[in-house]
Amino acid sequence: MEDRELLNVVDVEATCWDGQPPPGAVSEIIEIGLTVVDLHAGERVDRHSILVRPARSTVSAFCTELTGLTQEEVDTGVGFAEACRLLAAEHGAGTRPWASWGDYDRHQFTRQCQATGVPYPFGRRHTNVKAVFTEAYELRKRPGMARALEVAGLPLEGRHHRGEDDAWNIAALTLHLVSLDPRHAHRLTAPSA
Ligand code: AMP
Ligand code: MG
């Protein structure tokens, strides 16, 4: 019997502006935060940050303020195609179920893969943890990650809007949901419709 049940929790940061992008620029992934959760053990077992060099945009002062990431830092990163290759080759992206807070991260990957012709690295089993959290707590409005941590009584560890730390905190929220109701573990690993 498989004694580890792994889930990839992913949070991306992307180039952004206070308003619309400058002419010719598009929002592109600059960091992929990834925390590996063992649902069986109820633990976060690994954390990663993949820095990604944008090709059609640069990191604005606004974006640095939000994420803490600078252009110099992301210049040391890999290209988007290599980042997707690493997700599949080293992090089981194609075979493990994955999860994120909301649908933004999944849509950003879909969009950017389509725009660049890079193969989409993930499989079909994706869970929007924000939707599950909202249902579990019967909230009227879907909360941001920071608010959800408050509701759950969990600490916000590290820096909000850094992909690596956001993924780590979303993983804690995910495990919290499983501890409230073990049936959530099935929902996280079941094939999506
Ligand atoms: P988050 O995971 O909440 O850090 O957000 C992911 C990405 O969404 C960021 O890297 C930005 O590209 C974008 N984003 C989040 N919040 C804002 C904001 N207040 N203004 C502009 N873009 C944002
Ligand atoms: Mg984030």
Side-chain angles (χ1 to χ4, degrees), residues 52-140:
V52 187
R53 204 170 51 242
R56 296 171 59 196
S57 59
T58 54
V59 177
S60 66
F62 174 85
C63 189
T64 296
E65 174 102 354
L66 181 76
T67 64
L69 290 163
T70 62
Q71 182 66 42
E72 292 70 41
E73 245 177 309
V74 302
D75 277 341
T76 69
V78 297
F80 180 66
E82 174 63 6
C84 288
R85 195 196 65 75
L86 285 171
L87 282 172
E90 294 184 6
H91 304 289
T95 50
R96 272 178 215 163
W98 69 296
S100 56
W101 194 259
D103 280 322
Y104 164 78
D105 305 80
R106 187 168 59 83
H107 287 151
Q108 179 65 35
F109 268 104
T110 307
R111 234 184 346 254
Q112 200 165 335
C113 284
Q114 179 134 49
T116 56
V118 168
Y120 182 73
F122 296 103
R124 284 176 48 77
R125 288 176 299 168
H126 174 267
T127 302
N128 174 344
V129 182
K130 190 201 300 207
V132 180
F133 189 92
T134 306
E135 262 178 50
Y137 277 93
E138 300 181 345
L139 303 175
R140 281 191 295 119

